[in-house]
Amino acid sequence: MKRWKIAEVLGKEGQQLVNTSVTVKGWVRAFRSNRFIQLNDGSCMATLQAVVDFEKFDELVLKRITTASALSITGTLVESIGTGQSVELQVETIEILGDANPDDVQKTVMQPKRHSLEFLREQAHLRFRTNTFGAVFRIRHNVAFAIHTFFNDRGFFYLHTPIITGSDAEGAGEMFRVTNLDAKNPPLNEDGSVNFKEDFFGKPVNLTVSGQLEAELAALALGQVYTFGPTFRAENSNTSRHLAEFWMIEPEVAFNDLKDNMDLTEDFLKYICSYILQNCAEDLKFLNDREAQEQTQKPQNERNELSLIERLEFVTNNSFKRLTYTEAIDVLINSNHYKKKKFKYDVSWGIDLQSEHERYLVEKEFKCPVILTDYPAQIKAFYMRLNDDNKTVAAMDVLFPGIGEIVGGSQREERYEILHRKCEEFGIHPEELSWYMDTRKFGTVPHAGFGLGFERMVMFVTGMSNIRDVIPFPRTPQNAEF
Ligand code: 4AD
Ligand code: MG
Protein backbone atom coordinates (compact mmCIF):
# COMPACT_ATOMS: atom_id res chain seq x y z
CA MET A 1 0.00 0.00 0.00
CA LYS A 2 1.19 3.51 -0.77
CA ARG A 3 2.80 5.27 2.14
CA TRP A 4 1.40 8.77 2.64
CA LYS A 5 3.56 11.44 4.22
CA ILE A 6 2.03 13.13 7.22
CA ALA A 7 2.60 16.53 5.57
CA GLU A 8 0.36 15.33 2.72
CA VAL A 9 -2.29 13.84 4.99
CA LEU A 10 -2.52 17.05 7.05
CA GLY A 11 -2.25 19.29 4.00
CA LYS A 12 -4.65 20.07 1.19
CA GLU A 13 -4.34 16.58 -0.32
CA GLY A 14 -5.57 15.09 2.94
CA GLN A 15 -9.04 16.54 2.42
CA GLN A 16 -9.49 14.21 -0.55
CA LEU A 17 -8.37 11.23 1.52
CA VAL A 18 -11.13 11.57 4.11
CA ASN A 19 -13.11 8.32 4.51
CA THR A 20 -10.48 6.32 2.62
CA SER A 21 -7.88 3.88 3.90
CA VAL A 22 -4.44 5.41 4.37
CA THR A 23 -1.04 4.03 5.43
CA VAL A 24 1.45 6.21 7.29
CA LYS A 25 4.82 5.33 8.80
CA GLY A 26 6.72 7.21 11.45
CA TRP A 27 7.89 7.47 15.04
CA VAL A 28 5.73 7.78 18.11
CA ARG A 29 6.00 11.12 19.86
CA ALA A 30 3.44 10.21 22.53
CA PHE A 31 0.88 7.53 23.33
CA ARG A 32 -1.86 8.66 25.71
CA SER A 33 -4.54 6.70 27.54
CA ASN A 34 -3.78 3.56 25.50
CA ARG A 35 -5.76 5.31 22.78
CA PHE A 36 -4.12 8.35 21.13
CA ILE A 37 -0.88 7.91 19.19
CA GLN A 38 0.93 11.07 18.04
CA LEU A 39 2.92 10.02 15.00
CA ASN A 40 5.64 12.11 13.34
CA ASP A 41 7.49 11.18 10.14
CA GLY A 42 9.71 14.24 9.74
CA SER A 43 7.88 15.53 6.65
CA CYS A 44 6.51 18.39 8.76
CA MET A 45 6.47 19.67 12.30
CA ALA A 46 2.93 18.47 13.10
CA THR A 47 2.05 14.98 14.28
CA LEU A 48 -0.86 12.92 13.01
CA GLN A 49 -3.22 11.64 15.67
CA ALA A 50 -4.03 7.95 15.27
CA VAL A 51 -6.86 6.67 17.44
CA VAL A 52 -6.67 3.06 18.67
CA ASP A 53 -9.66 1.05 19.80
CA PHE A 54 -7.71 -0.81 22.49
CA GLU A 55 -10.27 -3.56 22.81
CA LYS A 56 -9.42 -4.65 19.29
CA PHE A 57 -5.66 -4.94 19.91
CA ASP A 58 -3.52 -7.38 21.76
CA GLU A 59 -2.18 -5.94 25.00
CA LEU A 60 1.33 -7.04 24.04
CA VAL A 61 1.19 -4.98 20.88
CA LEU A 62 -0.14 -1.93 22.74
CA LYS A 63 2.73 -2.25 25.24
CA ARG A 64 5.24 -1.91 22.44
CA ILE A 65 3.81 1.40 21.29
CA THR A 66 6.21 3.61 23.23
CA THR A 67 7.73 7.02 22.64
CA ALA A 68 10.33 6.81 19.81
CA SER A 69 9.18 3.40 18.55
CA ALA A 70 8.58 3.15 14.79
CA LEU A 71 5.18 2.14 13.43
CA SER A 72 3.39 1.50 10.20
CA ILE A 73 -0.29 2.31 10.66
CA THR A 74 -3.16 1.71 8.29
CA GLY A 75 -6.56 3.14 9.02
CA THR A 76 -9.44 5.27 7.86
CA LEU A 77 -8.83 8.98 7.70
CA VAL A 78 -11.73 10.83 9.31
CA GLU A 79 -12.60 14.43 10.13
CA SER A 80 -11.33 15.11 13.61
CA ILE A 81 -13.84 16.07 16.25
CA GLY A 82 -11.17 17.21 18.68
CA THR A 83 -9.47 20.57 18.38
CA GLY A 84 -6.10 21.15 16.80
CA GLN A 85 -6.26 18.96 13.73
CA SER A 86 -8.64 18.72 10.83
CA VAL A 87 -8.22 14.97 10.38
CA GLU A 88 -7.21 11.91 12.37
CA LEU A 89 -6.66 8.25 11.66
CA GLN A 90 -8.98 5.49 12.93
CA VAL A 91 -6.50 2.67 13.31
CA GLU A 92 -7.20 -0.67 11.58
CA THR A 93 -3.78 -2.32 11.63
CA ILE A 94 -0.51 -1.51 13.35
CA GLU A 95 2.84 -2.98 12.50
CA ILE A 96 5.69 -2.31 14.89
CA LEU A 97 8.69 -1.59 12.71
CA GLY A 98 11.16 -0.85 15.50
CA ASP A 99 10.90 -0.96 19.28
CA ALA A 100 12.27 1.65 21.65
CA ASN A 101 13.00 0.70 25.24
CA PRO A 102 11.37 3.31 27.54
CA ASP A 103 14.28 3.07 30.01
CA ASP A 104 16.73 3.96 27.24
CA VAL A 105 14.46 6.71 25.88
CA GLN A 106 14.34 8.25 29.38
CA LYS A 107 18.03 9.10 29.10
CA THR A 108 17.84 10.71 25.69
CA VAL A 109 16.59 13.86 24.02
CA MET A 110 13.70 11.81 22.62
CA GLN A 111 12.00 11.93 25.98
CA PRO A 112 9.17 14.37 25.28
CA LYS A 113 10.09 17.41 27.35
CA ARG A 114 12.08 20.60 26.95
CA HIS A 115 15.83 19.98 26.84
CA SER A 116 18.71 22.44 26.90
CA LEU A 117 20.50 22.96 23.59
CA GLU A 118 23.73 21.85 25.29
CA PHE A 119 22.16 18.50 26.20
CA LEU A 120 20.82 18.19 22.65
CA ARG A 121 24.29 18.83 21.27
CA GLU A 122 25.67 15.91 23.28
CA GLN A 123 23.23 13.69 21.41
CA ALA A 124 23.65 15.18 17.96
CA HIS A 125 22.72 11.81 16.44
CA LEU A 126 19.32 11.84 18.15
CA ARG A 127 18.45 15.51 18.21
CA PHE A 128 16.94 15.30 14.70
CA ARG A 129 13.93 13.73 16.43
CA THR A 130 13.11 16.90 18.36
CA ASN A 131 10.75 19.62 17.13
CA THR A 132 13.44 22.28 17.28
CA PHE A 133 15.97 20.41 15.17
CA GLY A 134 13.34 19.07 12.81
CA ALA A 135 12.42 22.70 12.12
CA VAL A 136 16.04 23.86 11.85
CA PHE A 137 17.04 21.17 9.38
CA ARG A 138 13.94 21.48 7.23
CA ILE A 139 14.65 25.22 7.03
CA ARG A 140 18.34 24.56 6.32
CA HIS A 141 17.29 22.48 3.32
CA ASN A 142 15.02 25.27 2.12
CA VAL A 143 17.79 27.86 2.43
CA ALA A 144 20.03 25.68 0.24
CA PHE A 145 17.23 25.21 -2.26
CA ALA A 146 16.49 28.96 -2.32
CA ILE A 147 20.17 29.65 -3.04
CA HIS A 148 20.29 27.31 -6.03
CA THR A 149 16.99 28.71 -7.30
CA PHE A 150 18.19 32.30 -6.99
CA PHE A 151 21.33 31.68 -9.04
CA ASN A 152 19.74 29.33 -11.54
CA ASP A 153 16.99 31.88 -12.25
CA ARG A 154 19.66 34.48 -12.97
CA GLY A 155 21.72 32.36 -15.34
CA PHE A 156 24.60 31.45 -13.00
CA PHE A 157 26.38 28.09 -13.36
CA TYR A 158 26.99 25.97 -10.27
CA LEU A 159 30.71 25.21 -10.14
CA HIS A 160 32.26 22.42 -8.05
CA THR A 161 35.64 23.60 -6.80
CA PRO A 162 38.13 21.19 -5.22
CA ILE A 163 38.12 20.32 -1.55
CA ILE A 164 41.78 19.29 -1.59
CA THR A 165 43.93 22.20 -2.70
CA GLY A 166 47.54 23.34 -2.87
CA SER A 167 46.68 27.02 -2.49
CA ASP A 168 45.72 29.14 0.48
CA ALA A 169 43.18 31.58 -0.97
CA GLU A 170 42.74 33.75 2.09
CA GLY A 171 46.42 33.78 3.04
CA ALA A 172 45.26 32.92 6.53
CA GLY A 173 47.66 30.02 7.05
CA GLU A 174 45.14 28.17 9.19
CA MET A 175 44.56 25.05 7.14
CA PHE A 176 44.15 21.32 7.65
CA ARG A 177 46.92 19.29 6.04
CA VAL A 178 45.87 16.33 3.90
CA THR A 179 48.48 13.60 3.75
CA ASN A 180 48.87 9.85 3.62
CA LEU A 181 52.44 9.85 4.90
CA ASP A 182 53.15 7.76 7.98
CA ALA A 183 52.75 10.25 10.85
CA LYS A 184 55.22 8.33 13.02
CA ASN A 185 57.86 7.86 10.43
CA PRO A 186 57.56 10.34 7.55
CA PRO A 187 60.21 10.48 4.80
CA LEU A 188 62.66 13.28 5.61
CA ASN A 189 64.82 15.65 3.60
CA GLU A 190 68.50 15.98 4.46
CA ASP A 191 67.74 19.00 6.63
CA GLY A 192 65.25 16.99 8.70
CA SER A 193 62.07 18.53 7.24
CA VAL A 194 59.30 16.28 5.89
CA ASN A 195 59.80 15.32 2.26
CA PHE A 196 56.41 16.02 0.71
CA LYS A 197 57.66 14.90 -2.70
CA GLU A 198 56.91 11.40 -1.41
CA ASP A 199 53.41 12.37 -0.30
CA PHE A 200 50.33 11.39 -2.32
CA PHE A 201 50.27 14.54 -4.47
CA GLY A 202 54.03 15.07 -4.49
CA LYS A 203 53.60 18.33 -2.56
CA PRO A 204 51.89 19.60 0.58
CA VAL A 205 48.12 20.01 0.14
CA ASN A 206 45.31 21.11 2.44
CA LEU A 207 41.56 21.21 2.80
CA THR A 208 40.28 24.31 1.04
CA VAL A 209 39.41 27.52 2.91
CA SER A 210 37.52 28.93 -0.09
CA GLY A 211 36.68 28.08 -3.69
CA GLN A 212 37.04 31.67 -4.83
CA LEU A 213 40.29 31.55 -6.80
CA GLU A 214 39.03 28.58 -8.82
CA ALA A 215 35.65 30.28 -9.25
CA GLU A 216 37.40 33.35 -10.71
CA LEU A 217 38.92 31.18 -13.43
CA ALA A 218 35.52 29.86 -14.40
CA ALA A 219 33.82 33.28 -14.17
CA LEU A 220 36.35 34.65 -16.65
CA ALA A 221 35.05 32.12 -19.17
CA LEU A 222 31.47 31.26 -18.23
CA GLY A 223 30.57 34.80 -17.15
CA GLN A 224 28.83 34.11 -13.88
CA VAL A 225 29.28 31.11 -11.61
CA TYR A 226 28.79 30.19 -7.97
CA THR A 227 30.26 27.57 -5.69
CA PHE A 228 28.41 25.94 -2.80
CA GLY A 229 30.56 23.56 -0.86
CA PRO A 230 32.31 22.72 2.39
CA THR A 231 35.25 24.85 3.53
CA PHE A 232 37.65 24.25 6.38
CA ARG A 233 39.46 26.52 8.78
CA ALA A 234 41.81 25.31 11.47
CA GLU A 235 41.49 28.48 13.52
CA ASN A 236 41.16 27.79 17.20
CA SER A 237 38.03 29.93 17.61
CA ASN A 238 35.64 28.45 20.11
CA THR A 239 32.87 30.98 19.54
CA SER A 240 29.16 30.65 18.83
CA ARG A 241 29.80 31.79 15.23
CA HIS A 242 32.79 29.70 14.12
CA LEU A 243 33.02 26.17 12.80
CA ALA A 244 36.12 24.30 11.63
CA GLU A 245 34.02 22.85 8.80
CA PHE A 246 31.33 25.07 7.32
CA TRP A 247 29.61 25.59 3.99
CA MET A 248 30.13 28.63 1.84
CA ILE A 249 28.39 30.04 -1.23
CA GLU A 250 30.71 32.04 -3.49
CA PRO A 251 29.31 33.74 -6.59
CA GLU A 252 31.82 35.29 -8.98
CA VAL A 253 30.78 37.57 -11.84
CA ALA A 254 32.78 38.88 -14.79
CA PHE A 255 32.33 42.61 -15.58
CA ASN A 256 30.85 43.38 -12.11
CA ASP A 257 32.29 46.17 -10.00
CA LEU A 258 31.91 46.71 -6.26
CA LYS A 259 28.54 48.46 -6.62
CA ASP A 260 27.15 45.57 -8.73
CA ASN A 261 28.54 43.18 -6.13
CA MET A 262 26.71 44.97 -3.30
CA ASP A 263 23.47 45.00 -5.29
CA LEU A 264 23.76 41.26 -5.98
CA THR A 265 24.46 40.49 -2.31
CA GLU A 266 21.54 42.55 -1.11
CA ASP A 267 19.10 40.97 -3.59
CA PHE A 268 20.43 37.53 -2.69
CA LEU A 269 20.06 37.88 1.08
CA LYS A 270 16.59 39.41 0.70
CA TYR A 271 15.55 36.61 -1.61
CA ILE A 272 16.57 33.95 0.93
CA CYS A 273 14.64 35.66 3.75
CA SER A 274 11.50 36.08 1.68
CA TYR A 275 11.73 32.50 0.37
CA ILE A 276 11.81 31.16 3.94
CA LEU A 277 8.92 33.42 5.00
CA GLN A 278 6.87 32.05 2.11
CA ASN A 279 7.83 28.39 2.21
CA CYS A 280 8.57 27.47 5.82
CA ALA A 281 5.67 29.06 7.70
CA GLU A 282 4.99 26.20 10.12
CA ASP A 283 8.63 25.65 11.15
CA LEU A 284 9.31 29.38 11.29
CA LYS A 285 6.34 29.99 13.56
CA PHE A 286 7.54 27.26 15.91
CA LEU A 287 11.03 28.78 16.12
CA ASN A 288 9.55 32.28 16.42
CA ASP A 289 7.42 31.23 19.41
CA ARG A 290 10.25 29.24 20.91
CA GLU A 291 12.47 32.33 20.82
CA ALA A 292 9.70 34.58 22.16
CA GLN A 293 9.27 32.19 25.08
CA GLU A 294 13.02 32.19 25.74
CA GLN A 295 13.08 35.99 25.63
CA THR A 296 10.70 36.21 28.57
CA GLN A 297 13.44 34.62 30.73
CA LYS A 298 15.84 37.44 29.88
CA PRO A 299 16.16 40.90 31.44
CA GLN A 300 14.27 43.57 29.48
CA ASN A 301 17.39 45.26 28.07
CA GLU A 302 18.73 42.01 26.62
CA ARG A 303 15.58 41.12 24.72
CA ASN A 304 15.31 41.34 20.93
CA GLU A 305 13.39 44.36 19.72
CA LEU A 306 11.93 42.34 16.84
CA SER A 307 10.70 38.77 16.78
CA LEU A 308 12.29 36.25 14.42
CA ILE A 309 9.60 36.66 11.77
CA GLU A 310 9.72 40.45 12.10
CA ARG A 311 13.49 40.37 11.59
CA LEU A 312 13.12 38.40 8.35
CA GLU A 313 10.41 40.79 7.16
CA PHE A 314 12.60 43.74 8.09
CA VAL A 315 15.52 42.48 5.99
CA THR A 316 13.21 41.74 3.07
CA ASN A 317 11.58 45.17 3.12
CA ASN A 318 14.38 47.60 3.98
CA SER A 319 17.51 48.78 2.19
CA PHE A 320 20.83 47.88 3.72
CA LYS A 321 22.89 50.80 5.02
CA ARG A 322 26.04 51.24 2.91
CA LEU A 323 29.09 53.14 4.15
CA THR A 324 32.86 53.00 3.91
CA TYR A 325 35.17 51.61 6.54
CA THR A 326 36.55 55.13 7.03
CA GLU A 327 33.06 56.50 7.69
CA ALA A 328 32.36 53.64 10.07
CA ILE A 329 35.51 54.40 12.07
CA ASP A 330 34.28 58.01 12.41
CA VAL A 331 30.86 56.83 13.57
CA LEU A 332 32.47 54.61 16.19
CA ILE A 333 34.88 57.27 17.46
CA ASN A 334 32.08 59.84 17.74
CA SER A 335 29.73 57.46 19.55
CA ASN A 336 28.84 57.89 23.20
CA HIS A 337 29.69 54.23 23.59
CA TYR A 338 33.30 55.02 22.62
CA LYS A 339 33.46 58.19 24.70
CA LYS A 340 32.24 56.27 27.73
CA LYS A 341 34.99 53.70 27.04
CA LYS A 342 32.50 50.89 26.65
CA PHE A 343 34.39 49.12 23.84
CA LYS A 344 36.87 46.52 24.99
CA TYR A 345 39.11 47.09 21.95
CA ASP A 346 40.32 50.55 20.92
CA VAL A 347 39.18 52.14 17.66
CA SER A 348 41.47 53.87 15.16
CA TRP A 349 41.82 53.89 11.36
CA GLY A 350 43.58 50.70 10.27
CA ILE A 351 42.25 48.31 12.91
CA ASP A 352 40.50 45.10 11.97
CA LEU A 353 37.00 45.74 13.35
CA GLN A 354 36.16 43.55 16.33
CA SER A 355 32.77 41.90 16.56
CA GLU A 356 31.75 44.40 19.30
CA HIS A 357 32.35 47.24 16.80
CA GLU A 358 30.41 45.50 14.03
CA ARG A 359 27.52 44.76 16.34
CA TYR A 360 27.44 48.32 17.61
CA LEU A 361 27.08 49.63 14.06
CA VAL A 362 24.33 47.18 13.14
CA GLU A 363 22.39 46.88 16.37
CA LYS A 364 22.80 50.28 18.02
CA GLU A 365 23.71 52.86 15.38
CA PHE A 366 21.87 51.89 12.18
CA LYS A 367 19.50 49.15 13.38
CA CYS A 368 19.57 47.43 9.99
CA PRO A 369 21.94 45.28 7.91
CA VAL A 370 25.08 47.22 7.02
CA ILE A 371 27.49 46.92 4.09
CA LEU A 372 30.95 48.27 4.91
CA THR A 373 33.26 48.94 1.98
CA ASP A 374 36.76 50.12 1.13
CA TYR A 375 38.80 48.65 3.95
CA PRO A 376 42.51 49.35 4.51
CA ALA A 377 44.50 47.17 2.09
CA GLN A 378 46.73 45.62 4.73
CA ILE A 379 43.88 44.00 6.71
CA LYS A 380 42.26 42.36 3.66
CA ALA A 381 43.27 39.60 1.23
CA PHE A 382 45.84 40.12 -1.53
CA TYR A 383 43.33 39.63 -4.37
CA MET A 384 41.13 42.64 -3.52
CA ARG A 385 41.27 45.54 -5.98
CA LEU A 386 43.44 48.47 -4.88
CA ASN A 387 41.54 51.77 -4.87
CA ASP A 388 42.92 54.96 -6.43
CA ASP A 389 43.90 56.25 -2.97
CA ASN A 390 46.51 53.42 -2.85
CA LYS A 391 45.46 52.83 0.75
CA THR A 392 42.15 51.02 0.61
CA VAL A 393 40.75 48.11 -1.38
CA ALA A 394 37.34 47.55 -3.01
CA ALA A 395 36.25 45.17 -0.25
CA MET A 396 32.80 44.73 1.25
CA ASP A 397 31.58 43.01 4.39
CA VAL A 398 27.88 42.58 5.11
CA LEU A 399 27.03 42.78 8.81
CA PHE A 400 23.77 41.35 10.16
CA PRO A 401 22.02 41.92 13.49
CA GLY A 402 22.79 39.20 16.02
CA ILE A 403 25.33 37.63 13.66
CA GLY A 404 27.97 40.19 12.74
CA GLU A 405 29.81 39.40 9.49
CA ILE A 406 27.66 37.21 7.28
CA VAL A 407 29.23 37.99 3.87
CA GLY A 408 32.75 38.95 2.84
CA GLY A 409 33.61 39.91 -0.72
CA SER A 410 35.29 42.34 -3.07
CA GLN A 411 36.00 43.52 -6.55
CA ARG A 412 39.09 41.58 -7.61
CA GLU A 413 42.45 43.01 -8.66
CA GLU A 414 42.40 42.45 -12.41
CA ARG A 415 45.65 44.33 -13.18
CA TYR A 416 48.53 41.86 -13.49
CA GLU A 417 51.32 44.13 -12.25
CA ILE A 418 49.48 45.28 -9.16
CA LEU A 419 48.35 41.73 -8.34
CA HIS A 420 51.94 40.52 -8.71
CA ARG A 421 53.20 43.24 -6.39
CA LYS A 422 50.45 42.54 -3.83
CA CYS A 423 51.37 38.84 -3.81
CA GLU A 424 54.94 39.69 -2.96
CA GLU A 425 53.89 42.15 -0.28
CA PHE A 426 51.75 39.43 1.30
CA GLY A 427 54.57 36.86 1.14
CA ILE A 428 52.86 34.74 -1.51
CA HIS A 429 55.02 33.35 -4.34
CA PRO A 430 53.32 34.46 -7.57
CA GLU A 431 54.88 31.46 -9.40
CA GLU A 432 52.93 29.07 -7.17
CA LEU A 433 49.75 30.90 -8.20
CA SER A 434 50.64 31.07 -11.88
CA TRP A 435 47.40 29.26 -12.78
CA TYR A 436 45.54 32.17 -11.13
CA MET A 437 47.82 35.00 -12.26
CA ASP A 438 47.56 33.78 -15.87
CA THR A 439 43.92 34.84 -16.10
CA ARG A 440 45.15 38.44 -15.86
CA LYS A 441 47.23 37.93 -19.00
CA PHE A 442 44.56 36.57 -21.33
CA GLY A 443 41.79 39.12 -21.61
CA THR A 444 41.58 40.29 -18.01
CA VAL A 445 38.37 42.12 -17.04
CA PRO A 446 36.97 43.74 -13.92
CA HIS A 447 35.13 41.14 -11.87
CA ALA A 448 33.75 40.72 -8.39
CA GLY A 449 32.31 38.17 -5.99
CA PHE A 450 31.58 37.36 -2.39
CA GLY A 451 31.25 34.52 0.10
CA LEU A 452 28.19 33.88 2.23
CA GLY A 453 28.69 31.72 5.31
CA PHE A 454 25.84 29.24 4.90
CA GLU A 455 25.50 28.40 8.59
CA ARG A 456 25.53 32.08 9.58
CA MET A 457 22.61 32.60 7.18
CA VAL A 458 20.79 29.59 8.65
CA MET A 459 21.39 31.07 12.12
CA PHE A 460 19.77 34.29 11.00
CA VAL A 461 16.67 32.69 9.51
CA THR A 462 16.12 30.21 12.35
CA GLY A 463 17.05 32.57 15.19
CA MET A 464 19.37 29.93 16.67
CA SER A 465 22.12 31.68 18.58
CA ASN A 466 24.82 29.01 18.37
CA ILE A 467 26.23 27.94 15.02
CA ARG A 468 26.62 24.37 16.32
CA ASP A 469 22.83 24.11 16.31
CA VAL A 470 22.33 24.78 12.60
CA ILE A 471 24.72 22.19 11.12
CA PRO A 472 23.85 18.50 11.43
CA PHE A 473 27.28 17.39 12.70
CA PRO A 474 29.33 20.33 14.00
CA ARG A 475 33.12 20.26 13.84
CA THR A 476 34.77 22.59 16.35
CA PRO A 477 38.08 22.45 18.25
CA GLN A 478 38.24 19.18 20.22
CA ASN A 479 34.93 18.04 18.81
CA ALA A 480 34.24 15.70 15.90
CA GLU A 481 32.21 13.18 17.86
CA PHE A 482 29.45 12.08 15.53
O1 4AD B 1 35.22 36.53 4.78
P1 4AD B 1 35.65 35.18 4.29
O2 4AD B 1 36.88 34.60 4.89
O3 4AD B 1 35.77 35.34 2.72
C1 4AD B 1 36.25 34.42 1.83
O4 4AD B 1 36.57 33.29 2.09
C2 4AD B 1 36.23 34.93 0.41
N1 4AD B 1 37.06 34.02 -0.41
C3 4AD B 1 34.82 35.01 -0.08
C4 4AD B 1 34.72 35.52 -1.51
O5 4AD B 1 34.93 36.69 -1.73
N2 4AD B 1 34.44 34.65 -2.45
O6 4AD B 1 34.46 34.14 4.50
C5 4AD B 1 33.19 34.38 3.93
C6 4AD B 1 32.10 34.13 4.95
C7 4AD B 1 32.16 35.01 6.18
O7 4AD B 1 31.60 36.27 5.95
C8 4AD B 1 31.38 34.19 7.18
O8 4AD B 1 29.99 34.36 6.98
C9 4AD B 1 31.74 32.77 6.78
O9 4AD B 1 32.20 32.81 5.45
N3 4AD B 1 32.78 32.20 7.65
C10 4AD B 1 32.56 31.28 8.60
N4 4AD B 1 31.44 30.66 8.99
C11 4AD B 1 31.54 29.75 9.98
N5 4AD B 1 32.70 29.41 10.59
C12 4AD B 1 33.87 30.01 10.23
N6 4AD B 1 35.02 29.65 10.83
C13 4AD B 1 33.82 30.99 9.19
N7 4AD B 1 34.75 31.76 8.59
C14 4AD B 1 34.10 32.49 7.66
MG1 MG C 1 35.72 37.97 6.11
Side-chain angles (χ1 to χ4, degrees):
M1 219 177 164
K2 175 185 156 83
R3 174 195 152 216
W4 288 91
K5 301 214 184 61
I6 289 175
E8 295 164 336
V9 173
L10 294 177
K12 270 203 199 97
E13 280 167 286
Q15 290 305 312
Q16 263 111 63
L17 294 172
V18 170
N19 297 326
T20 69
S21 182
V22 170
T23 298
V24 292
K25 298 181 186 185
W27 296 270
V28 176
R29 281 290 173 82
F31 185 33
R32 282 184 295 115
S33 323
N34 247 1
R35 193 166 163 76
F36 302 106
I37 302 171
Q38 301 299 335
L39 200 71
N40 183 279
D41 68 359
S43 60
C44 61
M45 161 87 46
T47 54
L48 177 66
Q49 173 153 288
V51 186
V52 189
D53 181 354
F54 49 83
E55 285 174 356
K56 280 206 229 154
F57 286 87
D58 189 55
E59 214 172 294
L60 287 173
V61 172
L62 292 177
K63 258 195 132 157
R64 288 172 63 196
I65 304 173
T66 57
T67 299
S69 60
L71 309 180
S72 172
I73 305 180
T74 300
T76 309
L77 195 70
V78 298
E79 306 267 3
S80 176
I81 22 174
T83 48
Q85 294 200 335
S86 54
V87 290
E88 62 186 30
L89 203 60
Q90 295 280 343
V91 179
E92 279 144 23
T93 60
I94 294 182
E95 188 190 342
I96 313 246
L97 299 174
D99 291 284
N101 180 333
D103 294 337
D104 294 341
V105 171
Q106 271 290 322
K107 295 176 206 135
T108 72
V109 302
M110 289 182 284
Q111 190 202 10
K113 65 165 220 189
R114 210 183 163 85
H115 304 282
S116 73
L117 292 170
E118 288 76 15
F119 182 59
L120 288 157
R121 242 170 263 146
E122 285 167 18
Q123 297 182 16
H125 57 312
L126 300 176
R127 64 181 181 170
F128 293 104
R129 291 277 190 96
T130 64
N131 280 337
T132 301
F133 286 90
V136 166
F137 292 120
R138 278 186 296 269
I139 291 181
R140 183 179 163 110
H141 159 80
N142 278 280
V143 175
F145 194 77
I147 288 168
H148 286 298
T149 308
F150 176 88
F151 287 121
N152 186 59
D153 287 352
R154 283 158 187 75
F156 282 67
F157 301 108
Y158 178 26
L159 186 79
H160 297 96
T161 48
I163 290 170
I164 299 176
T165 163
S167 78
D168 173 3
E170 295 305 300
E174 290 154 334
M175 305 182 81
F176 291 101
R177 177 63 44 83
V178 179
T179 176
N180 69 345
L181 292 178
D182 181 356
K184 254 200 202 143
N185 193 17
L188 298 178
N189 294 314
E190 275 177 10
D191 65 2
S193 60
V194 175
N195 181 4
F196 284 104
K197 288 210 176 74
E198 289 193 30
D199 203 350
F200 190 91
F201 294 102
K203 63 174 202 167
V205 294
N206 301 297
L207 293 178
T208 186
V209 294
S210 156
Q212 178 199 320
L213 301 193
E214 291 88 351
E216 281 188 52
L217 271 54
L220 294 175
L222 297 167
Q224 35 186 29
V225 299
Y226 69 104
T227 73
F228 189 165
T231 44
F232 306 86
R233 302 207 179 167
E235 50 197 340
N236 201 3
S237 312
N238 235 326
T239 79
S240 59
R241 296 177 307 123
H242 286 88
L243 289 165
E245 175 180 301
F246 63 99
W247 289 64
M248 189 160 35
I249 299 94
E250 296 183 275
E252 193 68 36
V253 186
F255 316 112
N256 264 12
D257 63 13
L258 188 65
K259 159 91 171 41
D260 303 323
N261 206 28
M262 287 192 274
D263 292 344
L264 179 67
T265 316
E266 191 167 336
D267 284 351
F268 177 51
L269 299 177
K270 286 181 162 156
Y271 179 89
I272 297 171
C273 292
S274 90
Y275 185 95
I276 297 304
L277 282 166
Q278 279 169 35
N279 293 282
C280 302
E282 186 190 34
D283 288 324
L284 201 54
K285 175 151 192 331
F286 175 85
L287 294 172
N288 185 78
D289 296 350
R290 179 186 177 282
E291 184 189 271
Q293 223 271 318
E294 232 172 40
Q295 293 279 310
T296 60
Q297 320 286 322
K298 288 189 177 172
Q300 197 79 38
N301 62 345
E302 283 174 30
R303 293 186 194 167
N304 292 329
E305 283 175 31
L306 301 178
S307 73
L308 172 60
I309 291 175
E310 285 166 346
R311 294 199 296 277
L312 297 191
E313 286 167 347
F314 185 89
V315 169
T316 311
N317 299 330
N318 291 279
S319 295
F320 296 5
K321 172 77 188 170
R322 301 180 182 191
L323 73 163
T324 65
Y325 167 93
T326 304
E327 288 163 344
I329 292 288
D330 284 345
V331 169
L332 290 170
I333 288 179
N334 290 318
S335 68
N336 278 331
H337 210 78
Y338 179 80
K339 289 178 188 147
K340 289 186 187 155
K341 299 199 174 10
K342 282 193 184 161
F343 288 123
K344 196 168 144 217
Y345 296 89
D346 198 18
V347 182
S348 64
W349 198 93
I351 61 155
D352 209 352
L353 293 178
Q354 296 294 324
S355 99
E356 58 169 350
H357 305 136
E358 297 178 341
R359 294 190 67 161
Y360 177 84
L361 292 170
V362 174
E363 288 158 29
K364 298 277 183 305
E365 181 73 24
F366 298 113
K367 295 182 188 283
C368 73
V370 170
I371 311 183
L372 286 188
T373 61
D374 304 292
Y375 284 72
Q378 66 272 22
I379 60 169
K380 288 290 183 186
F382 77 97
Y383 51 70
M384 298 191 179
R385 192 179 197 280
L386 190 63
N387 287 328
D388 291 343
D389 63 10
N390 276 322
K391 262 180 21 190
T392 59
V393 286
M396 58 164 217
D397 273 7
V398 182
L399 314 177
F400 257 37
I403 308 283
E405 181 192 332
I406 196 160
V407 163
S410 72
Q411 186 173 335
R412 316 307 188 190
E413 183 55 77
E414 85 282 14
R415 298 161 295 185
Y416 183 85
E417 279 69 33
I418 299 179
L419 188 62
H420 196 276
R421 197 181 76 217
K422 283 284 284 291
C423 272
E424 287 178 334
E425 281 170 20
F426 278 72
I428 300 163
H429 300 296
E431 316 79 61
E432 283 175 18
L433 275 182
S434 62
W435 56 272
Y436 177 72
M437 307 291 296
D438 269 0
T439 55
R440 275 57 171 173
K441 291 201 229 159
F442 299 93
T444 191
V445 295
H447 60 289
F450 62 83
L452 168 68
F454 183 59
E455 283 75 19
R456 294 205 183 158
M457 189 68 205
V458 179
M459 283 174 82
F460 184 73
V461 296
T462 57
M464 301 301 281
S465 51
N466 193 314
I467 199 163
R468 294 168 175 84
D469 296 328
V470 298
I471 186 162
F473 300 99
R475 267 83 183 98
T476 50
Q478 301 298 312
N479 170 40
E481 178 67 16
F482 303 101

